[in-house]
Amino acid sequence: MDYRAGVSDGASTAVDTLVDRAGVCRDFTHLVIGLCRAANIPARAVSAYAWRLEPPDLHAIAEVYLGGRWRLIDATGLAPIDGLVRVATGRDAADIAFMTIFGRACLIEQSFSIQAIEP
């Protein structure tokens, strides 16, 4: 599998990603979720701010239920799990979309602020 932008769009399925052997984090996440569910392993989608990704950005990852607990999986291998801040959890990418736009839009600015909280 290759991480490659422009191979997919919002209508691409996990099967498309498997056939194309390429996609972005959302596509990798859908593929992991589909394969896990086919093996009867509970799985869900997570959107996160990946502050340890270079450069830091929003990122889609999977979460699977194994060994009695939920475990995060980044199938792209790009974002360290300990460098993620969860934004949303849902069944698939439609539930965890970073934004939903109808019509044309232009991103002017994006910023995030995160702070560690001591336990």
Side-chain angles (χ1 to χ4, degrees):
M1 299 285 303
D2 295 320
Y3 189 93
R4 192 170 52 219
V7 173
S8 62
D9 60 27
S12 297
T13 66
V15 172
D16 296 329
T17 302
L18 186 61
V19 169
D20 293 340
R21 300 189 54 78
V24 293
C25 58
R26 175 197 66 234
D27 305 310
F28 279 62
T29 297
H30 271 156
L31 183 55
V32 167
I33 290 169
L35 292 171
C36 285
R37 289 177 180 166
N40 206 28
I41 299 169
R44 58 191 182 192
V46 174
S47 62
Y49 178 66
W51 61 274
R52 290 186 57 202
L53 186 67
E54 277 303 320
D57 202 356
L58 292 165
H59 196 58
I61 54 176
E63 193 169 36
V64 300
Y65 194 77
L66 292 171
R69 70 182 192 100
W70 288 98
R71 300 170 189 271
L72 294 172
I73 297 173
D74 177 19
T76 69
L78 298 174
I81 297 299
D82 64 349
L84 299 172
V85 177
R86 185 185 305 259
V87 174
T89 304
R91 295 166 296 185
D92 56 28
D95 286 347
I96 63 160
F98 304 129
M99 69 176 81
T100 302
I101 300 169
F102 299 97
R104 296 183 55 106
C106 179
L107 179 63
I108 304 293
E109 182 179 333
Q110 173 179 289
S111 66
F112 292 88
S113 176
I114 59 172
Q115 182 179 4
I117 299 173
E118 297 301 322

